[in-house]
């Protein structure tokens, strides 16, 4: 149980390409626990390991928590290790994205509306499933993190530069 600091732009670590996990071990599971603690503490619904400075291809997600006010403690954490994504349609779905590593910046990004997802679960078991809706958006956003890409990299240069300037201003004000 540890809440870790989440790196923010322009930290160059966020541009690193993360490496596959060679074997799912208790150390991997301890990392997953820290990632989930850090994601919930930051009110996120997804997190990639590089965002807490660990260049391993591990993603956590919880699309259900905080959505039902009558169940404030409901949690449905998911773990994706060494994920692979294959688009299943040419249709693009727009979403007003945000990012815990680019605080207080939001803008529209269009991504494939439906994807095939292959990964290892936290016990090292291979899983294949399809994702659409917010799940498809979020997993592609997190996959970008594993490849050193941020959602602002999909925006115009002007919007990206304004986003980084805003984060610097927000950080100075903190
Ligand atoms: O990678 C992250 O920083 C986590 C994002 C995940 C996310 C990005 C875009 C679209 C959906 C999820 C954070 O959770 S950003 C905060 C947030 C929370 C709810 C919905 C959208 C964004
Ligand atoms: Zn992000």
């Amino acid at each position: 149980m540890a809440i870790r600091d989440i790196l923010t732009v322009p930290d160059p670590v966020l541009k690193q390409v993360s490496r596959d996990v060679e074997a799912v071990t208790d150390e991997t599971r301890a990392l997953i626990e820290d990632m989930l603690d850090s994601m919930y503490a930051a009110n996120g619904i997804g997190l990639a390991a590089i965002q807490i400075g660990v260049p391993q291809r591990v993603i956590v997600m919880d699309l259900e928590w905080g959505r039902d006010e009558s169940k404030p403690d409901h949690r449905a954490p998911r773990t994706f290790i060494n994920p692979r994504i294959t688009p299943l349609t040419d249709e693009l779905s727009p979403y007003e994205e945000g990012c815990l590593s680019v605080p207080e910046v939001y803008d529209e990004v269009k991504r494939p509306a439906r994807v095939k997802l292959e990964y290892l679960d936290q016990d090292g078991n291979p899983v294949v499933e399809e994702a659409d809706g917010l799940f498809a958006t979020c997993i592609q956003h997190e996959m970008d993190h594993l490849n050193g890409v941020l959602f602002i990299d999909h925006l115009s240069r002007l919007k990206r530069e304004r986003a980084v300037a805003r984060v610097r201003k927000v950080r100075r004000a903190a």
Side-chain angles (χ1 to χ4, degrees):
M1 159 77 185
I3 296 173
R4 314 261 288 261
D5 288 341
I6 294 176
L7 304 181
T8 56
V9 296
D11 193 316
V13 169
L14 291 168
K15 290 300 204 184
Q16 283 184 24
V17 176
S18 299
R19 296 183 300 278
D20 270 356
V21 172
E22 292 184 7
V24 180
T25 64
D26 287 344
E27 186 180 352
T28 315
R29 284 180 281 272
L31 167 64
I32 289 164
E33 187 176 347
D34 283 359
M35 289 175 66
L36 285 167
D37 292 337
S38 305
M39 181 190 79
Y40 288 127
N43 292 317
I45 60 172
L47 192 75
I50 196 65
Q51 292 181 272
I52 59 170
V54 177
Q56 291 189 35
R57 299 185 82 83
V58 181
I59 291 168
V60 297
M61 191 182 303
D62 186 340
L63 301 182
E64 295 184 22
W65 88 282
R67 298 188 76 169
D68 183 343
E69 292 181 2
S70 67
K71 301 173 185 171
D73 299 327
H74 175 68
R75 294 281 192 272
R78 309 255 344 241
T79 301
F80 308 91
I81 300 170
N82 299 341
R84 300 281 186 274
I85 285 181
T86 310
L88 292 176
T89 175
D90 292 333
E91 179 194 348
L92 297 179
S93 177
Y95 195 90
E96 188 80 2
E97 298 194 10
C99 181
L100 298 175
S101 295
V102 190
E104 299 192 30
V105 173
Y106 300 91
D107 214 317
E108 182 178 283
V109 176
K110 291 177 180 170
R111 300 182 189 269
R114 201 156 52 85
V115 297
K116 175 183 174 185
L117 179 55
E118 300 168 274
Y119 61 93
L120 301 178
D121 66 17
Q122 64 179 13
D123 298 315
N125 301 311
V127 180
V128 180
E129 62 180 294
E130 291 190 10
D132 61 8
L134 180 56
F135 184 14
T137 293
C138 188
I139 196 66
Q140 292 177 85
H141 175 107
E142 303 307 338
M143 277 295 291
D144 268 357
H145 277 299
L146 300 187
N147 295 322
V149 175
L150 299 170
F151 85 96
I152 56 173
D153 295 328
H154 296 285
L155 307 180
S156 68
R157 178 175 175 182
L158 178 61
K159 282 190 172 182
R160 182 164 57 254
E161 290 173 348
R162 282 179 174 166
V164 175
R166 174 160 178 72
V167 173
R168 289 181 192 272
K169 182 179 178 182
V170 164
R171 190 186 293 118
R172 280 197 300 270

